[in-house]
Amino acid sequence: MASLAPAMTSSSHDALHADVKSTPGLASGGAAAGDDILVVDGDSTLSLGPDSLLLTRSTPTKPKRTCGFGPTKPTSNAKSIPLYNVLWAELTSPTTLTIDYADQTAPKKLRVANLTLSVQDDHADAARRWTDNLLERAYGPAKLRKRAKVLVNPHAGPGGADKLWDHEAKPIFEAARMALDVVRTKYSGEAIEIAQGVDIDAFDTIVACSGDGLPHEIFNGLGKRPDARRALGKLAVSHIPCGSGNAMSCNLYGTHRASFAALAIVKGVSAPLDLVSITQGDNRILSFLSQALGTVAESDLATEHLRWMGGARFTYGFLVRLFKKKVYPCDIAVKVEIEDKDGVKEHYKRVRSYHSLHALANGNGNGNASGNGHGNGSSNSLKPKVEEADSGSSVAATSSASNDEGLPPLEYGTVKDKLPEGWELVSYDNMGNFYCGNMAYMAPDANFFSAACANDGLIDLICIDGDVSPATSINLLLSVESGKFFDNPHVSYRKIKAFRITPRNQEDGYISIDGERVPFEPFQAEVHRGLGTVISKSGGFQAPGPRDWDSVTMADRLLA
Ligand SMILES: Nc1ncnc2c1ncn2[C@@H]1O[C@H](COP(=O)(O)OP(=O)(O)OP(=O)(O)O)[C@@H](O)[C@H]1O
């Protein structure tokens, strides 16, 4: 019989005799291309369902004895493996079929397991075709055997990135037969240099095993190249979560667990991601995640000495500050695109509906389409209005003739220039939080920017007054986890294209760009639609969106 066991114990596998079953509609004695069923060991079968691979043993396995206590337990004759979990399959000899897959052995961990079956030698060709069919279905639009440059930050988060890479991510990548080039970073900033010099044609993805600091460095390294636009568009950045926040992985893979993220990278597709140019003094850097000034920035950056607390250090820092009712006076000038929350929800609905309809139009109901998120699909009638409205400012639109050049020009100049026309300048004496997000989750269970879209050319701006009562602040913090934050009346939520912020009456303080501290000086930001590329599980973000965004009929969607 076939044995299903972790790879480490493969020596215990029983050999199987495999044959190709004649089933109605299939050629007798051989599996024609597209065949779904392979017969093993005479009567056992391996069948390909729409979502899973099913091994059914014909001979019932003997029930297990229970030493006389209670009734004997019947042993199941079938084993189902989700196709999403299938990593690799091949005939390792003309008579041996091996299938590697990610097995969920614990709620927080996947482990590589394999299935070894013998194939009758006169049916090797048919078994090979069946194997190709299996891999095609298991990978869908995802590229097989991605080539990865892997950067491991041994000092990420609470520590342990080496272990997470070695024990949770690497085995999954290796089982998927990915080509790996692994580097352990030795000092801060090395990932910038590596990304600056990497051969972008030699790899499909550059994987950060780290917190969100290494992806920030990687985007910036790619952005410093003379061929920045091509590099950012070609080499997809991906993330194995090893830090304390791990926002990138939460947004793109819906998990902050290393082995689940590794599987999502294996099965993920390249997708464009908006990136934000930040100018401060004479510098220009890229931001992929967030820009913050106020309680949130300080709670993160001023608690570095409490790293041992893991994710709890942020909550601790936040509570300490909110009881002080700290305010951060500043001048803010914003290029607003969508002013009110209903408009933001409507926009989110349009983008999501476009992506799901686009996926359906491509015959990919699970939304796992490679075009998903690029907004450049063929079905023009389904395009959301925002994408058309934004096309003038998209990087693709402004740079198609010059793809090998550096970063796109700044549409609104730098922080040192005169304030652009049409920007609304407001002075705030009581700002508590100026928080701008390019992704939804800022950490697990911290879906601050629930209306964020990966590739809409807009960033989401949250402003909260600092002089609200501590009870209101605590309620606000709790509402993030419960999903009610977006609708809280104390939260101002807008979609914007650019902003400039100038702190006032404070000698020093904290400004966070993607969780990294930058000088406490005025800075300006503008978004570039789809400038970066990431590996994503389904082409966009995994966040659920603002509450009730989807209370809309199919007709609404089609008319949106
Ligand atoms: N070998 C190293 N020694 C010291 N610093 C390093 C090294 N390698 C990378 N770094 C720096 O560590 C910084 C933080 O990296 P990373 O995001 O991986 O972890 P983190 O900030 O601890 O994550 P989190 O914020 O989620 O806790 C990066 O800015 C990077 O420059």
Side-chain angles (χ1 to χ4, degrees):
M1 294 303 302
S3 76
L4 296 158
M8 295 78 182
T9 58
S10 56
S11 57
S12 65
H13 292 166
D14 298 83
L16 282 183
H17 295 294
D19 198 352
V20 180
K21 189 175 195 175
S22 301
T23 55
L26 295 182
S28 169
D35 285 0
D36 289 346
I37 298 174
L38 188 68
V39 177
V40 290
D41 199 21
D43 288 329
S44 300
T45 57
L46 273 174
S47 34
L48 285 176
D51 300 315
S52 59
L53 168 67
L54 191 69
L55 172 68
T56 313
R57 297 176 179 131
S58 60
T59 320
T61 337
K62 274 189 185 166
K64 278 194 183 130
R65 294 247 155 246
T66 56
C67 307
F69 298 103
T72 55
K73 287 188 184 155
T75 308
S76 166
N77 265 358
K79 163 100 182 167
S80 172
I81 301 169
L83 288 178
Y84 177 74
N85 289 36
V86 173
L87 299 166
W88 192 251
E90 68 180 317
L91 284 181
T92 45
S93 82
T95 56
T96 312
L97 169 64
T98 304
I99 298 171
D100 292 320
Y101 63 99
D103 198 14
Q104 185 160 359
T105 49
K108 297 173 184 173
K109 204 166 166 182
L110 296 167
R111 207 162 74 134
V112 174
N114 75 11
L115 188 62
T116 302
L117 313 160
S118 317
V119 176
Q120 225 174 302
D121 54 4
D122 54 340
H123 289 135
D125 282 345
R128 214 166 273 124
R129 286 198 298 277
W130 183 91
T131 305
D132 290 346
N133 192 9
L134 166 63
L135 283 179
E136 209 175 303
R137 292 207 205 171
Y139 275 77
K143 186 176 190 293
L144 275 108
R145 306 188 69 169
K146 293 188 181 90
R147 303 158 304 160
K149 179 95 184 172
V150 181
L151 309 185
V152 184
N153 175 5
H155 296 285
D162 278 324
K163 222 164 131 193
L164 286 170
W165 163 249
D166 281 338
H167 298 297
E168 299 209 19
K170 190 167 93 170
I172 288 181
F173 283 178
E174 284 180 341
R177 308 306 195 263
M178 283 172 61
L180 305 176
D181 176 358
V182 187
V183 176
R184 237 169 144 256
T185 53
K186 293 179 286 303
Y187 50 90
S188 177
E190 192 186 3
I192 298 180
E193 295 163 15
I194 293 171
Q196 223 175 327
V198 71
D199 177 356
I200 58 169
D201 295 315
F203 300 101
D204 301 300
T205 181
I206 181 159
V207 188
C209 296
S210 63
D212 294 308
L214 231 54
H216 171 84
E217 289 194 358
I218 292 169
F219 283 119
N220 276 284
L222 295 172
K224 280 178 185 286
R225 298 163 63 109
D227 63 345
R229 265 180 271 188
R230 182 165 175 267
L232 286 162
K234 187 161 194 305
L235 191 55
V237 182
S238 53
H239 184 213
I240 299 291
C242 302
S244 37
N246 301 311
M248 185 166 180
S249 176
C250 293
N251 286 290
L252 298 175
Y253 315 128
T255 180
H256 61 287
R257 306 284 176 206
S259 57
F260 289 87
L263 179 58
I265 293 169
V266 167
K267 293 300 177 76
V269 292
S270 283
L273 176 73
D274 295 338
L275 291 179
V276 182
S277 271
I278 307 290
T279 58
Q280 191 177 44
D282 291 324
N283 290 334
R284 177 181 179 183
I285 60 167
L286 291 175
S287 162
F288 78 99
L289 181 62
S290 63
Q291 305 92 43
L293 188 157
T295 316
V296 167
E298 224 177 280
S299 307
D300 183 18
L301 297 173
T303 56
E304 285 285 331
H305 59 293
L306 300 173
R307 279 201 164 269
W308 54 270
M309 290 176 83
R313 79 181 159 92
F314 176 84
T315 314
Y316 170 79
F318 190 86
L319 290 173
V320 166
R321 276 154 194 84
L322 78 85
F323 280 109
K324 290 185 189 159
K325 287 201 190 178
K326 207 166 167 195
V327 293
Y328 305 82
C330 55
D331 295 333
I332 301 172
V334 187
K335 174 82 176 105
V336 180
E337 285 297 303
I338 305 174
E339 182 75 56
D340 62 293
K341 289 184 183 173
D342 283 346
V344 170
K345 269 190 191 172
E346 198 52 42
H347 166 88
Y348 184 83
K349 193 192 298 174
R350 277 200 296 269
V351 174
R352 279 287 289 257
S353 302
Y354 169 69
H355 289 325
S356 49
L357 288 168
H358 184 66
L360 277 177
N362 283 342
N364 192 333
N366 63 6
N368 213 16
S370 55
N372 188 1
H374 282 262
N376 54 4
S378 53
S379 48
N380 280 328
S381 61
L382 301 180
K383 267 189 166 185
K385 286 166 194 158
V386 65
E387 299 221 357
E388 287 160 358
D390 282 346
S391 61
S393 67
S394 83
V395 170
T398 54
S399 65
S400 55
S402 50
N403 251 358
D404 281 343
E405 289 176 8
L407 288 176
L410 292 166
E411 198 178 334
Y412 302 108
T414 77
V415 69
K416 291 172 129 184
D417 294 323
K418 194 169 149 271
L419 204 60
E421 296 265 315
W423 286 32
E424 185 192 334
L425 178 65
V426 181
S427 223
Y428 291 86
D429 292 327
N430 62 340
M431 179 63 72
N433 264 303
F434 175 91
Y435 201 9
C436 205
N438 192 45
M439 289 184 161
Y441 288 107
M442 293 294 118
D445 299 323
N447 186 359
F448 274 99
F449 301 96
S450 49
C453 304
N455 181 33
D456 63 354
L458 302 173
I459 38 180
D460 295 16
L461 174 59
I462 289 168
C463 293
I464 304 171
D465 292 343
D467 51 4
V468 294
S469 71
T472 303
S473 286
I474 290 175
N475 191 30
L476 273 167
L477 191 63
L478 294 175
S479 71
V480 176
E481 206 169 330
S482 67
K484 294 179 183 162
F485 181 74
F486 180 94
D487 291 310
N488 191 303
H490 292 283
V491 175
S492 139
Y493 197 114
R494 293 177 281 175
K495 287 232 168 228
I496 67 170
K497 265 189 174 173
F499 68 84
R500 180 182 297 181
I501 181 164
T502 307
R504 275 195 289 113
N505 308 334
Q506 297 153 85
E507 263 186 21
D508 201 6
Y510 293 89
I511 293 174
S512 157
I513 305 293
D514 297 350
E516 305 295 313
R517 190 175 181 186
V518 300
F520 196 67
E521 290 167 14
F523 70 97
Q524 181 163 309
E526 86 170 58
V527 62
H528 308 286
R529 184 167 148 216
L531 175 62
T533 307
V534 287
I535 300 274
S536 120
K537 190 172 177 181
S538 61
F541 294 153
Q542 296 294 306
R547 271 154 62 99
D548 300 330
W549 72 269
D550 55 349
S551 52
V552 61
T553 64
M554 183 52 92
D556 289 335
R557 289 180 180 218
L558 287 166
L559 294 172

